[in-house]
């Protein structure tokens, strides 16, 4: 339906979100079970395990469909393409407090997860890297169509130093820089191996 759960009265939103998440889950399980996109769907499922988002964290479970589509679109590229897609993905941003990250009051949650879980891994970054990465990730918010937009007055445009490089990083350029790190290649290969093999 064209009505968003967010547009319903508060008492009806929870049930609407639950129904929407069940419908999405059923459709996704069908894609994983049969059809021409089965193998690609399993490839997407692998990365959904690396970049997990729970529907309860979202104002609309349909945002998970956007994450699925973003991963699928990035599968034919590099890890850098995928990381940029995830850094700019509404579902992952919301789940990690990204829209709360304002230049006047940086929120480090997404930056820490980006370094620790999605790129170089624990032990390969400092607290200074976290705070500088948080500055790079400032300024994102959802627009009326639930797309992520970078709002210049909320973003810190200054120079930041992350893992030894000083640049006017934003979310995209930061993701590309992190994807180039040898520690990222090693750590993410280990994470994918654990997802595949256990």
């Amino acid at each position: 339906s064209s009505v968003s759960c967010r547009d319903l009265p508060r008492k009806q939103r929870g049930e609407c979100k639950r129904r929407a998440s069940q419908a999405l889950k059923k459709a996704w399980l069908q894609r994983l079970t049969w059809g021409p996109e089965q193998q690609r769907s399993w490839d997407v499922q692998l990365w959904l395990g690396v970049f997990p988002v729970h529907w309860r964290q979202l104002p609309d479970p349909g945002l998970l469909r956007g994450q699925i589509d973003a991963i699928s679109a990035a599968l034919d590229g590099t890890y850098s393409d995928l990381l940029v897609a995830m850094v700019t993905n509404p579902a992952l941003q919301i789940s990690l407090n990204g829209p709360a990250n304002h230049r006047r009051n940086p929120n480090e949650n997404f930056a820490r997860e980006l370094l620790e879980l999605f790129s170089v891994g624990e032990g390969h970054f400092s607290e200074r890297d976290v705070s500088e990465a948080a500055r790079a990730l400032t300024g994102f918010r959802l627009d009326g169509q639930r797309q992520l937009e970078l709002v210049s007055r909320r973003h810190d445009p200054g120079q930041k130093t992350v893992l030894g490089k000083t640049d006017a990083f934003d979310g995209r350029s930061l993701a590309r820089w992190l994807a180039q790190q040898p520690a990222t290649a090693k750590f993410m290969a280990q994470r994918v191996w654990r997802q595949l093999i256990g």
Side-chain angles (χ1 to χ4, degrees), residues 17-33 45 54-56 61-62 64-65 68:
K17 284 175 66 175
R18 191 189 64 73
R19 282 196 316 269
S21 70
Q22 289 297 325
L24 180 60
K25 183 197 245 180
K26 183 177 179 183
W28 183 242
L29 288 173
Q30 287 174 341
R31 275 182 58 177
L32 290 171
T33 306
Q45 182 66 38
H54 194 282
W55 67 269
R56 290 186 191 275
L64 285 175
R65 188 173 297 111
I68 287 169

Side-chain angles (χ1 to χ4, degrees), residues 5 26 55 68 88 132 141 170:
C5 293
K26 183 177 179 183
W55 67 269
I68 287 169
T88 57
E132 293 285 275
R141 74 171 181 191
D170 62 10

Side-chain angles (χ1 to χ4, degrees), residues 130-143:
V130 174
S131 61
E132 293 285 275
R135 290 178 55 219
L137 293 167
T138 55
F140 286 107
R141 74 171 181 191
L142 290 183
D143 66 14

Side-chain angles (χ1 to χ4, degrees), residues 10-21:
R10 183 181 298 260
K11 291 181 179 179
Q12 297 174 22
R13 288 181 204 157
E15 179 60 22
C16 175
K17 284 175 66 175
R18 191 189 64 73
R19 282 196 316 269
S21 70

Side-chain angles (χ1 to χ4, degrees), residues 149-162:
E149 63 178 350
L150 184 61
V151 180
S152 59
R153 63 185 164 76
R154 294 171 55 94
H155 175 65
D156 182 338
Q159 297 285 302
K160 301 109 182 159
T161 302
V162 180

